[in-house]
């Protein structure tokens, strides 16, 4: 969704009519403690632009909240319904972001690279003084929040990317990215039966493996929350609402998998996860923007969301969500 938005008019209608390919992040500068790319970590300097509909952007929302970066890094929320110029700030008064003063995220891309021809994606971090896009590298942004922004973390912030576990975290996230995070899109935007079936099988094979892994341990790697859990969560929380029906990933619902449903509820009820989720934005975006898949634009009324708050009993597996730290306020 975020990294495949076409900038030509009604590019969204092309979904389902051509093979799906996730485009690389065009702007991969990093905001680092030493400022080696020219963008030093600095409180108040940057603005994070997200859509609450987008799973890639939602990672940044969860990470920002868990690490307590809210005061240091301001937030702009785009309208879940894009038009042919992509993400827009129509939720804000006057249709402009109050800090950046722009109506469309594409204006920050244009300020960075005049005539930029590519897609406009979230999450994006914009340099407030210059109005220029710094990065749209969704894979790197949250890793840098965890490792480069430490001077601005809240007291008691968890270590979401602990050094001793990085190889294992990277390996687990690699499979989840390929087969689950991106796999649901490959299934949903497939333009042929074989392409769809291959993606469908990838999705559920990986979910079965992950389910097996989580049967006896509370979190994906180690006994605390890590970046790996954030990345799986943002797909799982959308699964029944959009991927099961809209993207035809319908072997089974999340609620029909006892392990993954309990794991997803455990995370949802952990401060920093469920409190960043907006199911209305999620459904409005997928069903109304992807006209190539859902030409009527009808948004389904279900599923029933009341189960997300029910007891999950995962605490019986032990684990310490925040390690030696504390939950966000």
């Amino acid at each position: 969704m975020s990294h495949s938005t076409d900038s030509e008019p009604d590019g969204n209608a092309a979904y389902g009519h051509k093979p799906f390919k996730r485009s690389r992040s065009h702007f991969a500068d990093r905001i680092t403690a030493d400022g080696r790319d020219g963008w030093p970590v600095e409180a108040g300097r940057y603005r994070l632009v997200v859509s609450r509909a987008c799973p890639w952007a939602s990672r940044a929302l969860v990470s920002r909240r868990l690490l307590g970066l809210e005061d240091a890094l301001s937030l702009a929320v785009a309208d879940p319904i894009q038009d042919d110029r992509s993400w827009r700030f129509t939720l804000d008064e006057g249709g402009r972001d109050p800090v950046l003063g722009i109506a469309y995220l594409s204006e920050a891309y244009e300020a960075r690279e005049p005539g930029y021809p590519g897609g406009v994606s979230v999450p994006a971090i914009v340099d407030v003084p210059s109005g220029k896009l710094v990065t749209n590298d969704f894979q790197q942004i949250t890793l840098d929040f965890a490792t480069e922004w430490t001077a601005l973390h809240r007291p008691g912030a968890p270590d979401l990317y602990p050094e001793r576990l990085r190889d294992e975290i990277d390996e687990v996230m690699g499979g989840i990215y390929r087969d689950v995070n991106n796999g649901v899109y490959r299934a949903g935007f497939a333009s042929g039966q074989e392409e769809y079936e291959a993606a469908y099988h990838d999705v559920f094979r990986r979910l079965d493996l992950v389910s097996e892994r989580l049967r006896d341990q509370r979190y994906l790697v180690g006994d605390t929350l890590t970046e790996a859990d954030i990345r799986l969560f943002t797909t799982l929380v959308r699964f029944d609402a959009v991927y099961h029906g809209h993207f035809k990933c319908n072997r089974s619902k999340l609620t029909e998998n006892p392990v993954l449903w309990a794991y997803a509820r455990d995370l949802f009820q952990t401060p920093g996860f469920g409190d960043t989720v907006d199911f209305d934005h999620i459904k409005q975006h997928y069903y109304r923007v992807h006209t190539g898949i859902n030409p009527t634009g009808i948004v389904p009324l279900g599923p029933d969301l009341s189960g997300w708050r029910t007891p999950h009993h995962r605490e019986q597996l032990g684990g310490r969500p925040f390690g030696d730290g504390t939950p966000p306020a």
Side-chain angles (χ1 to χ4, degrees):
M1 168 204 332
S2 61
H3 282 261
S4 45
T5 301
D6 292 334
S7 45
E8 66 267 11
D10 211 18
N12 298 303
Y15 291 138
H17 300 292
K18 59 182 183 185
F20 175 69
K21 187 169 178 294
R22 183 160 306 286
S23 51
R24 299 225 334 264
S25 299
H26 185 78
F27 300 97
D29 284 9
R30 292 174 59 189
I31 300 169
T32 55
D34 64 7
R36 57 185 176 272
D37 285 358
W39 308 106
V41 169
E42 202 179 301
R45 175 170 174 179
Y46 305 101
R47 191 152 172 85
L48 174 64
V49 182
V50 301
S51 161
R52 292 190 187 277
C54 169
W56 318 100
S58 292
R59 295 174 177 184
L61 279 174
V62 174
S63 173
R64 172 178 174 267
R65 178 138 159 64
L66 291 177
L67 298 172
L69 291 171
E70 290 107 326
D71 290 342
L73 177 67
S74 68
L75 183 68
V77 178
D79 192 314
I81 313 298
Q82 298 159 302
D83 67 14
D84 59 9
R85 290 180 57 186
S86 194
W87 301 107
R88 52 192 185 153
F89 297 109
T90 30
L91 301 178
D92 293 299
E93 202 174 326
R96 289 187 177 274
D97 178 73
V99 172
L100 299 171
I102 57 179
Y104 287 88
L105 176 57
S106 58
E107 295 171 60
Y109 279 69
E110 182 70 22
R112 170 68 188 272
E113 186 181 301
Y116 167 67
V120 176
S121 65
V122 289
I125 299 182
V126 179
D127 177 48
V128 175
S130 67
K132 292 179 179 177
L133 178 83
V134 177
T135 176
N136 67 345
D137 190 346
F138 68 103
Q139 299 279 45
Q140 191 61 44
I141 285 172
T142 46
L143 297 180
D144 284 341
F145 283 173
T147 58
E148 297 287 339
W149 290 64
T150 49
L152 300 176
H153 286 184
R154 66 181 174 86
D159 185 354
L160 296 173
Y161 196 47
E163 203 146 351
R164 61 189 175 81
L165 295 175
R166 280 182 198 173
D167 288 347
E168 189 181 354
I169 291 171
D170 289 347
E171 187 186 346
V172 169
M173 292 194 307
I176 287 170
Y177 170 74
R178 190 177 58 246
D179 297 338
V180 179
N181 301 149
N182 208 39
V184 292
Y185 280 87
R186 288 180 12 241
F189 292 148
S191 53
Q193 189 69 29
E194 281 181 27
E195 187 191 343
Y196 158 71
E197 289 185 13
Y200 170 102
H201 290 307
D202 285 346
V203 168
F204 286 102
R205 186 186 73 246
R206 181 66 56 180
L207 288 178
D208 288 344
L209 289 169
V210 168
S211 184
E212 203 49 50
R213 183 181 186 94
L214 289 166
R215 191 173 301 281
D216 302 311
Q217 63 186 63
R218 192 168 174 189
Y219 302 111
L220 280 167
V221 182
D223 69 343
T224 62
L225 289 164
T226 67
E227 175 79 17
D229 298 294
I230 296 173
R231 294 189 181 193
L232 180 56
F233 172 78
T234 59
T235 297
L236 293 184
V237 80
R238 288 162 175 76
F239 203 88
D240 289 3
V242 288
Y243 302 143
H244 180 272
H246 184 58
F247 278 0
K248 305 180 185 72
C249 294
N250 62 354
R251 186 193 81 183
S252 50
K253 294 183 174 130
L254 175 66
T255 54
E256 293 163 352
N257 181 314
V259 173
L260 288 182
W261 177 221
Y263 166 80
R265 293 193 329 270
D266 185 6
L267 293 183
F268 188 87
Q269 293 169 35
T270 300
F273 286 85
D275 49 30
T276 64
V277 174
D278 188 319
F279 284 109
D280 182 56
H281 278 210
I282 289 167
K283 284 163 54 172
Q284 291 293 327
H285 173 82
Y286 282 86
Y287 289 106
R288 289 179 60 187
V289 173
H290 299 159
T291 52
I293 304 173
N294 188 38
T296 62
I298 291 171
V299 180
L301 291 174
D304 176 10
L305 301 172
S306 58
W308 281 100
R309 292 277 172 208
T310 58
H312 52 77
H313 306 299
R314 294 278 295 176
E315 61 281 344
Q316 292 166 11
L317 294 172
R320 306 173 304 141
F322 297 95
D324 297 327
T326 53

